[in-house]
Amino acid sequence: MVAYGADGPGCVALIRQSGGAVLAGNCEIQLAADAADCGCGYGQGSACAVLARDSYAHARAGLDAAARGWMAGLPRRIVFTHAGRRYAVLHGGASDVSRFIWPDTGDDVFEHEIRLLQAGIGAVDGVVAGHCGIAFRRRVAGIDWINAGVIGLPPHDGHRATRFAVLDGDAPRIERLDYDAEAAAAEMCAAGLTQGYDAALLSGWWPSEDTLPPGLRRYVD
Ligand SMILES: [Fe+2]
């Protein structure tokens, strides 16, 4: 809910007002514990680990005890039924909240994560996940894995539009969101968050390309 952007408390307030179901990701778990880092799972010294440090510290400084207490009570799994299909929502993976599962990750990883998930909550028809930052759909062993993407950061494709997923009828679909990226980037600059994600809102390219699998980078070295 609060990673990278300028106004974490404002986002938390809006999301709480919406009354929608909310799942804990690594940032919420770490903020709830008042931990020193976001626990995103990137390697130490990677561009993301370095660049995300200040935005996490900014989020941590801005949230009050009530917001942290609310985050502490958020579930790690949500299960619901829609159009006769049972879905589970998790953040990164079933094995690890910070597991990076990419559009080009092998089927064996999806199968392993789905097995683990189903061992805990029973059979599902679909999984809604996030964390890696890139929206995609995969069908593995008859189960839909839907990464809903990130509504606050474009998916490293050179465009400003961000992504979200809609479950409407049988088929989940991924939508693009056009929003005032200039204003969001300006707010980040004003807050001193000029480590690269502010520019990413405008350019559509992440500053942390070294964290992506080679096939998803602009330049492969
Ligand atoms: Fe995450």
Side-chain angles (χ1 to χ4, degrees):
M1 276 174 281
V2 302
Y4 303 142
D7 190 11
C11 290
V12 169
L14 282 173
I15 290 166
R16 292 186 71 177
Q17 270 170 31
S18 79
V22 181
L23 184 86
N26 53 291
C27 285
E28 290 71 39
I29 292 166
Q30 296 294 93
L31 287 165
D34 204 23
D37 67 66
C38 69
C40 72
Y42 285 118
Q44 258 194 341
S46 73
C48 185
V50 174
L51 299 171
R53 210 163 35 207
D54 289 330
S55 65
Y56 178 82
H58 176 80
R60 187 181 172 200
L63 290 177
D64 60 17
R68 281 201 298 274
W70 174 69
M71 287 180 176
L74 295 175
R76 309 283 184 100
R77 303 272 187 275
I78 293 174
V79 179
F80 67 94
T81 300
H82 170 76
R85 292 165 57 79
R86 189 166 185 259
Y87 291 89
V89 190
L90 48 72
H91 184 66
S95 62
D96 182 350
V97 69
S98 290
R99 180 149 200 189
F100 287 96
I101 299 176
W102 303 99
D104 62 356
T105 294
D107 278 0
D108 56 328
V109 171
F110 287 92
E111 285 166 8
H112 172 72
E113 296 295 325
I114 289 167
R115 252 197 318 275
L116 266 181
L117 172 69
Q118 292 187 330
I121 56 144
V124 295
D125 303 296
V127 180
V128 182
H131 188 61
C132 83
I134 296 179
F136 65 89
R137 286 182 60 191
R138 277 279 286 275
R139 192 164 174 83
V140 179
I143 290 168
D144 286 316
W145 184 287
I146 305 130
N147 188 309
V150 179
I151 206 160
L153 188 69
H156 196 63
D157 65 351
H159 298 280
R160 293 182 179 182
T162 62
R163 300 291 190 278
F164 61 101
V166 176
L167 274 179
D168 185 8
D170 293 343
R173 64 175 197 276
I174 291 165
E175 296 276 346
R176 299 165 67 90
L177 176 72
D178 290 304
Y179 74 105
D180 191 349
E182 302 264 0
E187 275 190 48
M188 290 177 74
C189 287
L193 297 174
T194 54
Q195 295 79 23
Y197 287 102
D198 57 321
L201 297 187
L202 305 179
S203 70
W205 298 115
W206 297 356
S208 49
E209 196 161 54
D210 66 337
T211 58
L212 285 162
L216 299 177
R217 298 179 192 176
R218 273 177 297 173
Y219 310 109
V220 180
D221 44 34

